[in-house]
Amino acid sequence: MKVLLLGAGMVAKPLADYILDNNIELTIATRTLTKAEKLIRNRTNGKALQWTIDDIDQLDQLVATHDLTVSLLPYAHHVTVAKLCIKHKKNMVTTSYVSDEMKALDADAKEAGIIILNEIGVDPGFDHMTAMRIIDKVQDKGGKIKEFYSLCGALAAPEETDNPFKYKFSWSPKGVIMAGNNGAKYLKGGEIVELPTEDLFKNPLKIDFPEVGEMEVYPNRDSLAYVDIYGLKDVATMYRGTFRYPDWCEIMDAIKTLGLITHDTQSFAGKSYKRIMARQLEVYPANIKEKAAERLQLPIDSPAITAMEWLGLFSGYMPSMDEGSNFDLVADLMLKKMMLPEGARDMVIMLHSFLVENADGSTEVVKSRLLDFATKENTSIARTVGLPAAIAVKMILDGKITDTGVHIPVSKSIYEPVLTELEKLGIAMKEEWGVKESAKISC
């Protein structure tokens, strides 16, 4: 069996190792050949190839000559790959959210007799699978899910929270910052709550996570879609959220309020960060820190002002780019100052909290938690994204997953074998049943 891996980014290593260690042939095709070669490490069943998405003819040939393709490319390219997989009747796996364009390929994928499995990472992915395992257990016993909170965060370990953001990136910060431009929708007590992007970080939930401490949670995109995806026809509250350490939400809310993660292109030539900030606020550069605090109606020593000063936004230094957007400017500073150091630990935390109405009319809270830290070999985010995808690849090749069409991992035929294998690799949720209703979360 031969697998094609497109991309060799931050989460590729555990995926590649799992496939190669299971004696499956692997070709890694990526822009930077040395990255692929580093992942292969001279193993005889691995091959590194320099390739870019512009070369569709070569991609067509690669897909045709492999049994399954894994795309770790930016999500915008997945549909291009999927159409070639359908053309050549080859299975496909991605860790990204399934797009409407991808969903539209369902009938074609079924006709080709292949599976295009999306969202098989951690969030999305592991969250779906571990949630559905509980939901199916409850519903199989005649129970109903009345409330469901699904919360996840990829973070630096507690010992690495030594900057004002209490955050460090184990991959490019652009994706994290970009998510801050989303709005959000969720269901609360039977009512739809819709947050415009400017309110995303306001009023975060406060949740105490065992062994980590108090965390903040802000809503993650559109939770309403998961009512149908998870088959929760009786649910009154459905909330998906993102964990962050305290102060993140205040800081990001302030950065957004000042228009510092917008995408309009402008010139930075000859201007210091202080002057760029002054232009953004339409004020003179003198005392720019105080003027920003006044505009935001925050104390001068607030977490947000402290963080922006630490990042360098009030400094007299010159940016490294002459042109770009405010988003590019902030992302560039974060890239320079907030990357997780080599050898430092990251962690992934996840919490599912259900309010269950049992068949006899009684109620209980069911909670399920993950606390996963980096190992010596891999970051936690790489493990928890890469290994579910890798396991799915092997199970598709072995004929243990036989579904066809465009899928995410919410059916038992997919999630049960993947979760069982993940448990053997030390990635598992700890479930608590029969918790008193007073312990439930409330948004």
Side-chain angles (χ1 to χ4, degrees):
M1 289 293 186
K2 296 172 68 176
V3 171
L4 172 65
L5 173 58
L6 303 176
M10 294 285 195
V11 302
K13 181 179 177 295
L15 189 154
D17 285 343
Y18 185 91
I19 291 171
L20 290 165
D21 290 348
N22 276 280
N23 298 314
I24 298 166
E25 288 186 49
L26 178 66
T27 301
I28 304 178
T30 190
R31 179 185 297 273
T32 308
L33 185 63
T34 53
K35 284 186 178 181
E37 290 171 338
K38 188 176 179 182
L39 293 176
I40 297 295
R41 298 206 315 272
N42 295 318
R43 283 173 281 192
T44 55
N45 56 327
K47 178 182 176 183
L49 190 68
Q50 188 169 26
W51 166 84
T52 65
I53 190 63
D54 302 324
D55 194 341
I56 298 297
D57 289 340
Q58 187 181 16
L59 178 61
D60 184 89
Q61 185 179 5
L62 286 168
V63 169
T65 54
H66 290 78
D67 298 293
L68 185 149
T69 296
V70 182
S71 178
L72 294 182
L73 300 172
Y75 75 93
H77 301 305
H78 292 328
V79 169
T80 299
V81 177
K83 287 178 178 177
L84 292 175
C85 288
I86 290 168
K87 173 185 173 183
H88 295 293
K89 296 183 167 64
K90 306 292 185 176
N91 295 303
M92 177 178 170
V93 169
T94 86
T95 59
S96 301
Y97 282 103
V98 63
S99 64
D100 289 339
E101 293 83 1
M102 185 70 87
K103 289 177 189 175
L105 299 176
D106 180 59
D108 290 341
K110 284 176 177 170
E111 188 177 343
I114 66 165
I115 186 170
I116 300 175
L117 182 57
N118 304 267
E119 302 191 19
I120 185 75
V122 62
D123 177 7
F126 186 72
D127 55 345
H128 297 328
M129 295 187 285
T130 51
M132 285 307 305
R133 180 182 262 182
I134 291 173
I135 291 165
D136 282 345
K137 282 180 187 175
V138 169
Q139 293 179 340
D140 286 349
K141 294 176 182 177
K144 299 175 181 177
I145 305 294
K146 305 302 289 185
E147 298 181 5
F148 178 31
Y149 292 80
S150 181
L151 318 174
C152 184
L155 302 152
E159 70 270 15
E160 291 293 329
T161 57
D162 55 0
N163 66 49
F165 287 83
K166 302 184 181 73
Y167 195 93
K168 292 179 183 176
F169 298 94
S170 51
W171 68 98
S172 170
K174 288 194 172 183
V176 176
I177 307 168
M178 200 177 295
N181 278 322
N182 295 329
K185 284 195 288 189
Y186 57 91
L187 191 65
K188 178 182 179 181
E191 300 290 329
I192 294 173
V193 178
E194 192 158 0
L195 292 181
T197 183
E198 57 267 24
D199 292 338
L200 182 68
F201 293 111
K202 290 178 168 62
N203 305 311
L205 305 182
K206 309 284 187 182
I207 292 178
D208 188 65
F209 198 98
E211 299 180 54
V212 178
E214 185 177 84
M215 305 296 289
E216 295 180 346
V217 176
Y218 65 90
N220 181 7
R221 303 192 191 202
D222 181 4
S223 299
L224 301 182
Y226 293 88
V227 173
D228 289 335
I229 289 170
Y230 293 155
L232 301 177
K233 63 181 186 299
D234 301 300
V235 79
T237 297
M238 175 73 225
Y239 181 105
R240 283 168 57 85
T242 300
F243 277 117
R244 289 291 182 262
Y245 286 109
D247 299 333
W248 172 269
C249 289
E250 179 193 306
I251 295 165
M252 291 306 296
D253 185 60
I255 286 174
K256 281 182 73 173
T257 299
L258 295 181
L260 296 177
I261 53 174
T262 55
H263 291 277
D264 299 330
T265 300
Q266 54 190 299
S267 172
F268 301 132
K271 289 183 171 61
S272 65
Y273 289 106
K274 179 194 292 189
R275 289 189 174 276
I276 293 166
M277 283 290 291
R279 180 177 65 184
Q280 183 67 24
L281 272 62
E282 299 180 330
V283 297
Y284 288 109
N287 303 316
I288 189 64
K289 174 181 166 183
E290 289 76 7
K291 289 171 181 174
E294 184 180 354
R295 179 71 57 87
L296 293 164
Q297 298 182 330
L298 290 173
I300 197 73
D301 60 351
S302 66
I305 298 300
T306 302
M308 285 190 280
E309 182 176 39
W310 174 85
L311 198 59
L313 289 168
F314 306 138
S315 75
Y317 292 112
M318 309 294 282
S320 58
M321 63 187 80
D322 289 334
E323 185 180 83
S325 65
N326 288 340
F327 175 93
D328 297 327
L329 202 71
V330 171
D332 184 62
L333 283 170
M334 288 182 167
L335 194 63
K336 289 172 180 171
K337 299 196 74 172
M338 293 173 62
M339 296 307 291
L340 191 71
E342 186 84 23
R345 293 197 309 168
D346 71 329
M347 70 176 185
V348 172
I349 60 174
M350 187 178 291
L351 169 65
H352 297 320
S353 179
F354 299 88
L355 177 62
V356 174
E357 182 183 296
N358 294 310
D360 62 4
S362 65
T363 59
E364 66 174 307
V365 169
V366 179
K367 291 193 174 183
S368 180
R369 291 187 189 86
L370 171 74
L371 175 59
D372 185 81
F373 289 103
T375 63
K376 288 181 180 178
E377 294 80 23
N378 295 298
T379 62
S380 177
I381 188 65
R383 274 165 40 83
T384 54
V385 172
L387 287 175
I391 291 166
V393 166
K394 185 173 187 297
M395 290 188 170
I396 291 168
L397 294 177
D398 290 347
K400 293 178 181 176
I401 294 175
T402 57
D403 307 59
T404 60
V406 176
H407 285 271
I408 65 172
V410 292
S411 62
K412 193 170 185 176
S413 59
I414 297 174
Y415 74 67
E416 195 59 50
V418 175
L419 289 178
T420 299
E421 184 65 18
L422 280 170
E423 286 163 7
K424 295 175 186 175
L425 300 175
I427 299 175
M429 299 282 267
K430 179 182 178 182
E431 294 182 5
E432 289 180 85
W433 292 72
V435 180
K436 291 181 179 179
E437 192 172 337
S438 58
K440 74 174 188 174
I441 298 172
S442 182
C443 59

